[in-house]
Amino acid sequence: MTDTPILHIDMDAFFASVSIRHRPELRDVPVVVGAGGRGVVLSATYPARACGVRSGMPMRRALRLCPRAVVVSPDSLGVQSVSSAVMETFRSVTPLVRALSIDEAFLDVSGAARRFGSPEQIGEQLRARIADEQGITCSVGVAPITTVAKIASELAKPDGLLVVRPDEVLGFLHPLPIETLWGVGKKTAARLHRLELVTVADLAHTPVSTLQHALGPVAGAHLHRLAWGAGSHTVTPRASIQEPERTMGHQETFGRDTDDPILIRRELLRLSTRVAARMRRGGVVGRVVVITVRFSDFRTITRSRTLRETTDLAADIYAAAAELFSVLRPRARIRLVGVRVSGLVAAARAPRQLVLGARDPGWFEAERAVDQATLRFGSTVVRPAALIGSRRP
DNA sequence: TCTGGGGTCCTAGGACCC
DNA sequence: TCTGGGGTCCTAGGACCC
């Protein structure tokens, strides 16, 4: 046992680093990863950041700030396979790995001390291995609790490692600005600033009731605990069968705002088809269909419908999505539509209801055949008739 | 400077049931 | 006649994270 067993490991500028690995001549050039047109910056190398480019920024603005930047499309990079390889490297040290996103994970290394050394040594070994095997750098936070390890890795960036020992936790946390805490974004920070709270110490020494009044009972109590160094002392890997993802969805911004209902319905069908295929691949079914509509003024609404039975069929998902859209009667032009299914459960565990007049089982067969054909021949081979010959605007 | 796409979790009101 | 309290589900929106 060690007293600082939690590692948080975070790749440095992940997408941008992978693009440099592919094209070493870009090493000292500003590189911006993202889609063109109306996209935003996914990731930028440090030379690009020196020009003021930040992730989340509209691409157009980034290129205005840094006209000589090289733009790389994220699709071409194969980041998923790099991510999988990195996670495998983590698992070679401990089974207690929890991926938080494509490029970061928590590790509990308390059981790995005898084979690999102290948490700090393990962190350095993993950094060296990832640099060696993947050609990218990462940063590591080492702490007794998850929340603190996460902050430590952020402060260690780029290409660093930071250890926070148990007796250092409060001394480490309290001088930090409140925005550093996980879950404190723009709006929450603004509310706290109105109470003249600036540092984590300020937060810690404010009565819980005051925070709850400002932020709500759950968020207020949660932040107060975080300010006193609360967090998990261990890491539970996600067991995909018992704990499937809770929602799955896709959305897409049109190249140009539109009010053409045929175009919009066609897009809803395309998105429904993608979501359903992914659900079947993941072995999940769901009951709640949610559509998202974003208007040209960026106002965004959602509409949802709970189905009588769970499904993983595009036909069901699209039927609900189209029905939800048809009652909207939007007046403004539309910028984006999305389709999402929530209330997901593992298909094997879903209650099988025998309903009178139940759906023709032919649908199951048809959509599974599509899955098979797609697997063998690619996604353009089989698709709904309404999508044939269509190009997105 | 005109703002992506993938998610998670919380809140709050109303329906409905006991 | 003017009135309860709790629990759960559904729906919509919002904040946040990467």
Side-chain angles (χ1 to χ4, degrees):
Chain A
M1 276 305 262
T2 65
D3 51 14
T4 51
I6 307 293
L7 267 50
H8 180 262
I9 310 186
D10 198 349
M11 304 301 121
D12 300 325
F14 181 54
F15 284 70
S17 303
V18 174
S19 70
I20 289 177
R21 191 187 71 156
H22 283 341
R23 296 169 60 184
E25 74 275 13
L26 297 179
R27 180 157 301 282
D28 299 313
V29 181
V31 174
V32 178
V33 180
R38 306 216 271 185
V40 300
V41 175
L42 257 171
S43 176
T45 56
Y46 287 88
R49 291 178 192 205
C51 306
V53 175
R54 296 287 177 270
S55 57
M57 175 183 283
M59 279 301 253
R60 288 196 179 127
R61 186 181 173 205
L63 289 175
R64 219 168 292 139
L65 286 169
C66 193
R68 60 196 189 92
V70 176
V71 176
V72 176
S73 156
D75 307 326
S76 60
L77 295 173
V79 283
Q80 190 55 59
S81 67
V82 178
S83 172
S84 305
V86 166
M87 298 296 168
E88 254 339 284
T89 303
F90 295 164
R91 287 193 197 94
S92 70
V93 170
T94 171
L96 302 180
V97 175
R98 177 85 170 202
L100 294 184
S101 71
I102 193 164
D103 70 339
E104 58 173 325
F106 283 124
L107 283 69
D108 180 341
V109 297
S110 55
R114 270 211 317 196
R115 284 177 64 204
F116 298 100
S118 70
E120 182 174 354
Q121 290 168 328
I122 293 172
E124 286 299 3
Q125 289 163 26
L126 286 171
R127 276 166 36 73
R129 278 184 65 189
I130 287 163
D132 191 44
E133 294 166 8
Q134 306 301 332
I136 60 177
T137 67
C138 62
S139 297
V140 178
V142 186
I145 31 181
T146 50
T147 47
V148 175
K150 171 126 170 101
I151 295 172
S153 73
E154 192 60 40
L155 297 187
K157 276 185 178 301
D159 199 12
L161 178 143
L162 182 60
V163 182
V164 181
R165 304 193 188 287
D167 57 349
E168 299 167 344
V169 164
L170 294 185
F172 169 77
L173 280 178
H174 281 188
L176 295 172
I178 46 177
E179 292 86 342
T180 321
L181 294 179
W182 215 41
V184 179
K186 252 185 169 170
K187 307 273 176 162
T188 305
R191 281 187 204 170
L192 296 172
H193 288 158
R194 256 174 260 139
L195 299 173
E196 299 191 332
L197 305 176
V198 179
T199 65
V200 177
D202 296 340
L203 209 53
H205 294 108
T206 301
V208 193
S209 56
T210 306
L211 300 179
Q212 290 179 314
H213 186 73
L215 306 173
V218 175
H222 177 67
L223 275 195
H224 196 259
R225 284 196 301 271
L226 281 188
W228 284 105
S232 175
H233 294 265
T234 185
V235 173
T236 36
R238 183 186 281 261
S240 57
I241 300 300
Q242 280 79 22
E243 202 187 345
E245 275 157 300
R246 290 173 173 57
T247 75
M248 274 189 197
H250 289 293
Q251 58 179 44
E252 195 149 301
T253 299
F254 293 109
R256 196 176 295 143
D257 297 351
T258 181
D259 51 11
D260 177 353
I262 295 174
L263 207 65
I264 293 165
R265 269 167 220 286
R266 192 179 284 161
E267 183 66 4
L268 288 173
L269 174 57
R270 202 177 64 85
L271 295 168
S272 301
T273 305
R274 284 176 64 194
V275 173
R278 193 146 66 91
M279 289 172 68
R280 290 191 294 267
R281 232 180 297 134
V284 293
V285 293
R287 263 185 82 207
V288 185
V289 176
V290 188
I291 65 166
T292 302
V293 177
R294 176 168 296 152
F295 299 103
S296 49
D297 64 358
F298 222 70
R299 192 170 63 92
T300 307
I301 60 167
T302 62
R303 291 293 180 268
S304 66
R305 156 153 312 166
T306 302
L307 308 178
R308 288 180 55 207
E309 283 183 276
T310 60
T311 186
D312 58 5
L313 296 178
D316 292 341
I317 296 168
Y318 173 67
E323 167 70 19
L324 285 166
F325 181 75
S326 72
V327 299
L328 262 186
R329 309 216 163 276
R331 291 205 196 98
R333 292 165 79 80
I334 289 173
R335 179 187 178 88
L336 161 152
V337 288
V339 175
R340 177 166 293 278
V341 179
S342 68
L344 298 187
V345 290
R349 301 174 135 211
R352 283 228 155 237
Q353 235 172 308
L354 283 175
V355 179
L356 280 178
R359 182 176 42 226
D360 177 356
W363 273 116
F364 286 104
E365 304 308 323
E367 294 208 12
R368 280 186 211 289
V370 171
D371 292 343
Q372 293 304 316
T374 303
L375 262 180
R376 290 183 59 192
F377 306 113
S379 63
T380 53
V381 173
V382 186
R383 46 188 173 155
L387 293 183
I388 291 173
S390 71
R391 264 177 320 193
R392 277 172 294 117

